[in-house]
Amino acid sequence: MISIALDGPAGAGKSTIAKGAAKELGFIYVDTGALYRTVGLKFLREGYTTELNCDIEAVLKTIEVDIKFIDGTQHVFLNGEDVSDLIRTPEASMMASAVSAKPPVRAFLLEMQRKLARENNVLMDGRDIATVVLPNATLKFFVTASVEERANRRYKELIEKGMDVNYDDIYNDIETRDYNDSHREIAPLKPAEDSIIFDTTGNTLQESIDAIMTIINERLN
Ligand code: DC
């Protein structure tokens, strides 16, 4: 099986690039962030705050996470319920970030991710795919873009959705999140030694998909 790891910070265009490339390759696109969001949703529903003052292992024992591909699109299930849309709220994002820093949560989701890669050709998007989940991935990319570019993209996206947002707040949020993600003790966000650094600054999404496909085709052939 062929596995391609795509790690990198939020807002670098990872998921759009991964979806586009997976479609061209006929691979499954696995969004591992959705798994952390699904676990986070359960903690939210149990009424916990992001401080997570609780017995994490005990809560994990009440959780069954499943991932299914319906018409090529990933759906995630929490104890049998399709929560693919419910995990996209800002609250679920915050809780996903909190639970993802907890070692038992990372251990809980590890085997599921590895199994997917053993059984399918995958393009897997996350933070620690190349470093922890699939250290023997066929190809590894670290997708990044400048903070300005990511803040601009996010700002435009939210304005288009009709939200009243402030550019400086978004910029500061991204900087803080980058710092937290890359300085956490467990599975910090960083490129593997053999990752290809893929900078999307200044590219349109289609330009990025085309550029990554050129590299993938070169390396796989
Ligand atoms: O990519 P995303 O925003 O959907 O990810 C949600 C959260 O999960 C984010 O805070 C980072 C974390 N995450 C992680 O720690 N490891 C992964 N492989 C994927 C996501």
Side-chain angles (χ1 to χ4, degrees):
M1 287 296 166
I2 300 172
S3 52
I4 301 178
L6 269 179
D7 295 301
K14 248 181 321 153
S15 66
T16 314
I17 294 169
K19 265 184 221 158
K23 201 168 170 200
E24 288 194 28
L25 290 160
F27 287 14
I28 286 181
Y29 161 59
V30 182
D31 164 13
T32 62
L35 302 174
Y36 289 91
R37 288 169 177 271
T38 302
V39 170
L41 183 64
K42 176 67 172 170
F43 281 81
L44 264 186
R45 285 179 169 178
E46 293 295 319
Y48 296 116
T49 63
T50 50
E51 264 86 74
L52 294 171
N53 291 322
C54 59
D55 182 344
I56 292 184
E57 308 256 11
V59 179
L60 288 174
K61 287 204 177 90
T62 69
I63 302 183
E64 199 182 308
V65 177
D66 279 316
I67 189 164
K68 287 185 192 151
F69 295 87
I70 303 172
D71 295 331
T73 302
Q74 171 181 310
H75 287 247
V76 280
F77 294 81
L78 172 60
N79 297 334
E81 175 191 356
D82 187 341
V83 294
S84 309
D85 293 329
L86 297 174
I87 57 170
R88 298 291 159 196
T89 63
E91 294 75 23
S93 301
M94 290 306 291
M95 197 51 118
S97 174
V99 298
S100 74
K102 300 291 179 191
V105 173
R106 304 203 74 85
F108 177 73
L109 294 173
L110 185 60
E111 179 49 26
M112 175 185 294
Q113 298 170 75
R114 288 188 172 156
K115 185 166 184 278
L116 282 164
R118 273 198 305 274
E119 297 176 352
N120 306 277
N121 288 327
V122 293
L123 223 147
M124 199 173 274
D125 149 359
R127 305 292 191 283
D128 62 338
I129 308 306
T131 49
V132 178
V133 180
L134 306 175
N136 297 318
T138 319
L139 263 179
K140 301 174 176 180
F141 289 95
F142 191 82
V143 182
T144 186
S146 69
V147 178
E148 285 82 5
E149 175 100 2
R150 288 186 285 136
N152 265 326
R153 288 178 190 164
R154 184 89 187 123
Y155 179 74
K156 275 193 205 142
E157 197 183 305
L158 295 175
I159 291 287
E160 273 164 25
K161 282 187 186 160
M163 292 168 75
D164 178 23
V165 285
N166 175 290
Y167 176 83
D168 290 339
D169 289 346
I170 293 177
Y171 185 99
N172 291 333
D173 264 13
I174 289 181
E175 265 199 326
T176 309
R177 217 146 27 103
D178 280 0
Y179 184 87
N180 290 342
D181 287 350
S182 50
H183 287 79
R184 72 178 175 213
E185 233 161 76
I186 180 162
L189 173 67
K190 61 165 194 220
E193 270 178 25
D194 49 351
S195 289
I196 299 164
I197 308 292
F198 188 77
D199 191 331
T200 67
T201 308
N203 286 357
T204 63
L205 287 165
Q206 191 56 50
E207 283 168 347
S208 292
I209 295 170
D210 293 345
I212 210 164
M213 280 307 303
T214 303
I215 302 175
I216 292 173
N217 285 326
E218 270 170 21
R219 301 280 175 126
L220 292 187
N221 289 325

